[in-house]
Amino acid sequence: MDSEPKLVTDREEDNEPKIKMERKEGEPTAAFKGASWAALLIGVSAYLIGLFNATMELNEKGYYFAVLIFGLYSAVSLQKAVRDRDEGIPVTNIYYGISWVALIISISLIGIGLYNAGSIILSEKGFYGMAFVLSLFSAVTVQKNIRDTEQARERD
């Protein structure tokens, strides 16, 4: 079983070979994978840089950091549970339910925390909220891309 992508050469006008990676059926494009990873790195980095530079107490920074990690884990966990169920892979109702509850709680915690944060100006609240949402969405997309790539390569 050959799991390495096949190389395809193509001739350009100047007769120099151009090497392209052949994408497996069902595998996300390199551009989509790159955009997903970039969004995850940008979202998480921006959020953490904002926390590092914030003038809030260390315990408050710890709260926002913990909410980010909890949110990332719960989003990826829910995406996996939903996809497993869709593909007929057994997922217990308790795990599925906990995944939903954990994601809802993490989003609620960031919203409640930002709403009640008197030391953060409105534009910073928006920044943290958007970086949080970008991080969650891109973490789900990165996990989906990894799974799709593995499945596409297993088919060959």
Side-chain angles (χ1 to χ4, degrees):
M1 181 167 148
D2 182 26
S3 64
E4 290 295 316
K6 295 177 183 134
L7 295 178
V8 178
T9 58
D10 199 9
R11 299 270 178 200
E12 291 184 336
E13 293 171 6
D14 58 0
N15 287 335
E16 289 189 26
K18 182 172 122 181
I19 297 175
K20 295 190 298 187
M21 300 298 279
E22 187 176 291
R23 197 168 50 89
K24 309 283 186 209
E25 184 179 338
E27 181 181 8
T29 64
F32 187 66
K33 289 184 210 177
S36 301
W37 274 104
L40 179 61
L41 293 173
I42 290 167
V44 170
S45 297
Y47 189 95
L48 294 177
I49 290 168
L51 275 183
F52 180 78
N53 291 318
T55 57
M56 59 182 82
E57 297 290 323
L58 190 56
N59 63 338
E60 197 175 357
K61 289 181 180 186
Y63 170 82
Y64 288 110
F65 177 74
V67 169
L68 175 66
I69 299 305
F70 180 45
L72 290 171
Y73 180 80
S74 63
V76 169
S77 185
L78 177 60
Q79 190 273 345
K80 181 182 178 346
V82 167
R83 183 155 175 184
D84 283 353
R85 274 194 164 187
D86 185 59
E87 294 176 353
I89 299 170
V91 176
T92 63
N93 287 334
I94 191 74
Y95 184 80
Y96 185 73
I98 288 171
S99 297
W100 269 110
V101 169
L103 182 63
I104 291 167
I105 289 172
S106 70
I107 293 170
S108 298
L109 285 173
I110 193 74
I112 291 166
L114 291 173
Y115 179 79
N116 290 315
S119 65
I120 303 175
I121 62 174
L122 190 56
S123 61
E124 287 181 51
K125 290 179 181 183
F127 164 79
Y128 285 116
M130 292 306 295
F132 183 79
V133 170
L134 175 63
S135 298
L136 293 189
F137 181 77
S138 57
V140 167
T141 307
V142 165
Q143 194 275 337
K144 178 195 175 307
N145 288 344
I146 290 170
R147 187 164 171 174
D148 287 347
T149 300
E150 287 178 5
Q151 284 183 342
R153 290 185 178 166
E154 285 175 1
R155 284 188 217 128
D156 280 348

